[in-house]
Structures are given as structure tokens and as C-alpha cells.
Amino acid sequence: MKFSERILSVKPSPTLAVTALANSLKAQGIDVIGFGSGEPDFDTPRFIKDAAIRAIESGKTKYTPAGGIPELKEAIAMKFKRDNNLEYSNSEVTVNCGGKHSFYNLMQVLLNGGDEVIIPAPYWVSYPPMVLLAGGNPVIIDTTDEKGFKITPDQLNSAITKRTRAVLINSPSNPTGATYTRAELEALAEILEKKDLLIISDDIYEFILYENRSFYNLAMLSDSLKRKTLVLNGVSKTYSMTGWRIGYIAGDEEIIKKVEILQSQSTSNPSSISQWASVAALTGDQRIVDDMIDAFVRRRKLIVDGLNAIPGIQCINPEGSFYAFPNVQDLYRSKSWESVEKKYGAENRSGTLAAYLLEEANVAVVPGIGFGSDNYIRLSFATSDENITEGIKRIAGAVEKLR
Ligand code: PLP
């Protein structure tokens, strides 16, 4: 079969693949502990579901404007004012079918062949494929746990070329949890202010922060940066609404208009029912998020302490989001590693380790290679305390056998 070069340039999302594999093993009766999932394990709050039911019952079940209902755009503009002190009009806001779709749309409307998008690694698995699908070139800046997984102004400066169209900042980060402080963003801003490029700020984990950290994005630092920045956000992670598929972008009106043209000729509007539910989520009582954070604070400690107690694994504390991203490269030097590679393949080491842990310990983790860093694995702690305790115990047992 002949396929487009575009689709042949991308691989399936490894995070979704791990979750699907863990679920299929569970369906076969195998007791797998899944650390793959990128979604909160809480139910969508009752008042949000009620808003969706009301929307269905009152006939709000038809096409809407491609870029979203005015009520949702107003709620999003209100959210930016309330939470970030940023002012946007409705024409500077568009609603998409999830934050993933928001980024995809942006790449489609912004990039021409060979345009570059700077992406700090470790990165969310979907950024480079979406750049490639739009004909662009992902330019990766590597970071490590030693530097807190954050890029430096010098690294940023040397990655910028004449072809740079946009720089992406995802803070708090999936997969590392790295969260830029205001001062760290200001240091990057000094360079970005002088350059003719766009900034994409993926703020999807804005509210999942630890140790009283405050949230900042580059648009919040100055009017000129705000004009260059497209802020991407959504309801998936904050309100436990991953299945509802609502994401949004705020920024330059002309770019927003182009995204809506693309959407009018591709997906049309995001689900009308999900849009009404999102109005309720954004305008309702925000204290619902606090309960979720309390659980994540507890689980973060459980998983990070548990991982660090295993010889050969080092895990820094994520500053935000709900992922632990431990460094496992010492395990690649263990006595039995060669035999593990013989059994599970040696294409990439984090994939080999993940396959070993799945088979040996019935624990599903995501290989770091999909995030651009083969020395790590990702474990989501959006799962119960019991699962975390049991999962860590199993990993410790499997790692012990490697020595
Ligand atoms: N951005 C990041 C960094 C993510 O981790 C995700 C989801 O995993 C998204 C965006 C998109 O989420 P959604 O499409 O559910 O809004």
C-alpha cells in the first residue's frame, strides 16, 4: 500500500500505546499496574456533568461556530483575566478538539516546508510529530535532570536560526514536571524579545503545581511578549475532562482566524455538549482543583521516595504536572543488562527496560525515548496510592534481579 510521506514520518503515540497494552493485558486477567496514563484518575466533577446533561436536554446538540460558542470564548477570556491577568477579546480566542488539536492546528497554519520549531527535550511525545506533519523541522534542545530539565538562555540563543518560526515552552512539563519560575522565564525573555519569532506556551498543567509554586508564562511578562505568544490550554487535566476533548488557544487575532478557517474545513466545531460543560468548568467553583492537588501531593512523595529507594534509579522532584521521570541509566550498566537486551531487543534501552518491567513485574511505564531522552522512563502518578506502593515494590524486585 502506498502512503503519504507525511504519515510515514510519524510513529504512534507511545503513551497511548502503553496504556492500550496495559489495558489489554488487564482484560486477559493479568494483574498489571499501569503508570502509563496521562490523565487524572478522578471523575469529572458533578456540576460539569450536569451542565452537559442540561445542554443535551435543552437541544444544544447542533453545529456551533467552528471556533466555539461565544459563551465559551467569553469564559476562556474571563479565565485568562482571573488566573493570568491577561486580556483577550473573543476574536483572540479559539476552541479546539483538545489541546493536542490546538497545537496541531497551530503547526498547520504557521509552518512552511523547512520552518523550524524549537522544542526543549524531554518533550511531550506529540510535539515533534505534529511539526513534521506540517512539513516543519523540530529543533531539539536537550536538558537533563542535573539542570532541572530546563533550558538556559545560551542554549535557546544558539538554537535560533533564520528558519525559526516558533519556540515552544511547556511549563509545568510533561514528562519532567519542570516548571519555570518568573526569573527563569525573564532570562529567556531577554532573548525572545529581540527575535522575530512566535512563542507557543503550552500551559495545560497550569494548576498542577507543588510546594506553593506560582504559575507564570511568557505572555504574562510584557505586552510585547504577549503579542508574540500563543497560549495553549484546555480543560483535560485541570478538571479531569480528558475524554471531552476541549482545548483552546489565545493570541494574535489573524492567527486565530486562520485556525478557525482550518477547523471549518476539517473537524468543524468541537462537540457542542463538551463546550457547554467547559463553560461550567471554567466559570464554576475552582476549589474542585484543590482536592485533586492534595491527592497528587501525597502520591508525588510516595512515588519519588519509592523510586529513589531503588538502587540504580534517581528521580528529581517534579515541580508540577503528575509525572515522575526517573533517570535509569545506571540500570543499563547492570550485570544482567546484556541478557535483558537479548530477550527484549536492543533498539533503545528505555524501551527494553519498559518491556522487561512489563514482563517481569507486570508494571507498565513509558520509555523515555518517546520523550527524546533514552536515559529515563516516565511514570504517571495519576493512579491510586495502593497502585503506586505495589508498583514500586514490583519494580524494586525486578531491578534487584538485574544486579
Ligand atoms: N500538552 C501536553 C504537554 C500534554 O501532556 C497534553 C496531554 O497529554 C496535551 C497538551 C493535550 O491534552 P488534550 O488534548 O487532552 O487537551
Side-chain angles (χ1 to χ4, degrees):
M1 181 71 74
K2 209 168 163 209
F3 290 105
S4 72
E5 284 167 18
R6 286 185 309 287
I7 192 60
L8 294 176
S9 73
V10 301
K11 295 200 182 106
S13 160
T15 49
L16 298 184
V18 167
T19 309
L21 180 60
N23 287 343
S24 91
L25 291 172
K26 273 185 214 158
Q28 293 165 40
I30 301 169
D31 165 32
V32 173
I33 305 245
F35 286 114
S37 175
E39 59 186 354
D41 56 326
F42 313 105
D43 200 4
T44 303
R46 185 71 248 170
F47 74 90
I48 300 175
K49 290 186 187 176
D50 286 342
I53 293 164
R54 276 199 307 279
I56 294 173
E57 289 183 340
S58 60
K60 289 174 174 141
T61 52
K62 303 291 171 66
Y63 292 133
T64 75
I69 53 176
E71 290 84 348
L72 181 51
K73 290 191 171 192
E74 269 152 37
I76 292 167
M78 180 281 298
K79 173 254 168 292
F80 278 115
K81 182 73 197 146
R82 177 188 65 202
D83 302 333
N84 312 114
N85 199 26
L86 290 170
E87 305 247 12
Y88 293 105
S89 64
N90 276 16
S91 56
E92 293 172 305
V93 169
T94 187
V95 184
N96 321 109
C97 309
K100 188 180 268 186
H101 189 220
S102 303
F103 188 82
Y104 179 85
N105 283 345
L106 280 178
M107 294 303 98
Q108 292 295 324
V109 307
L110 293 175
L111 300 187
N112 282 310
D115 283 351
E116 294 172 355
V117 179
I118 295 178
I119 302 174
Y123 45 71
W124 178 40
V125 292
S126 296
Y127 296 133
M130 290 192 276
V131 173
L132 290 169
L133 283 170
N137 282 338
V139 172
I140 307 301
I141 304 181
D142 284 316
T143 70
T144 63
D145 45 353
E146 283 154 14
K147 298 254 160 70
F149 293 116
K150 291 177 194 173
I151 58 168
T152 62
D154 281 348
Q155 279 182 304
L156 175 62
N157 201 26
S158 22
I160 296 172
T161 72
K162 283 198 208 89
R163 296 305 308 261
T164 305
R165 184 77 176 107
V167 174
L168 171 98
I169 299 290
N170 169 221
S171 167
S173 150
N174 172 8
T176 66
T179 304
Y180 288 81
T181 62
R182 188 184 173 105
E184 286 163 345
L185 288 177
E186 276 167 350
L188 300 179
E190 263 187 53
I191 290 156
L192 295 167
E193 289 269 21
K194 291 183 225 143
K195 304 283 183 180
D196 178 22
L197 45 73
L198 292 166
I199 299 160
I200 300 174
S201 182
D202 182 345
D203 299 357
I204 203 114
Y205 296 98
E206 169 177 9
F207 291 105
I208 306 174
L209 289 171
Y210 305 108
E211 291 160 2
N212 294 324
R213 279 194 171 72
S214 302
F215 174 81
Y216 291 98
N217 67 29
L218 285 158
M220 291 160 73
L221 299 188
S222 73
D223 280 346
S224 56
L225 283 170
K226 177 175 175 254
R227 280 193 293 279
K228 289 180 171 199
T229 303
L230 294 142
V231 181
L232 187 160
N233 209 325
V235 296
S236 282
K237 316 285 177 177
T238 309
Y239 305 106
S240 212
M241 290 177 71
T242 44
W244 300 70
R245 311 308 304 130
I246 296 289
Y248 52 86
I249 312 166
D252 178 85
E253 192 175 329
E254 252 188 289
I255 297 174
I256 295 296
K257 213 183 277 170
K258 292 288 190 286
V259 167
E260 296 195 345
I261 292 172
L262 174 64
Q263 211 157 269
S264 77
Q265 295 287 28
S266 51
T267 55
S268 294
N269 60 275
S271 151
S272 59
I273 300 151
S274 298
Q275 289 191 60
W276 283 105
S278 300
V279 172
L282 290 168
T283 58
D285 189 342
Q286 300 298 297
R287 277 174 306 182
I288 48 160
V289 184
D290 298 342
D291 296 340
M292 197 165 76
I293 304 301
D294 287 347
F296 285 147
V297 166
R298 211 180 48 240
R299 295 168 180 181
R300 167 181 175 260
K301 182 162 169 41
L302 205 54
I303 200 160
V304 171
D305 289 354
L307 286 166
N308 281 325
I310 302 174
I313 298 185
Q314 295 99 37
C315 185
I316 65 168
N317 257 320
E319 297 166 324
S321 78
F322 42 71
Y323 306 104
F325 201 61
N327 188 326
V328 291
Q329 61 182 324
D330 284 351
L331 302 183
Y332 307 152
R333 293 190 276 269
S334 56
K335 240 198 254 154
S336 314
W337 184 252
E338 230 178 82
S339 62
V340 171
E341 283 195 334
K342 268 200 196 114
K343 186 160 176 200
Y344 298 101
E347 200 186 324
N348 58 75
R349 293 172 302 176
S350 57
T352 304
L353 180 63
Y356 170 75
L357 291 176
L358 189 60
E359 178 91 11
E360 191 63 43
N362 287 346
V363 169
V365 302
V366 189
I369 188 80
F371 306 93
S373 300
D374 201 28
N375 288 338
Y376 303 85
I377 53 174
R378 191 193 78 174
L379 293 87
S380 160
F381 50 91
T383 186
S384 67
D385 298 28
E386 296 73 38
N387 274 352
I388 294 173
T389 307
E390 174 60 22
I392 293 290
K393 200 169 99 196
R394 293 188 191 179
I395 295 173
V399 166
E400 175 70 30
K401 287 192 198 152
L402 288 176
R403 290 210 266 145

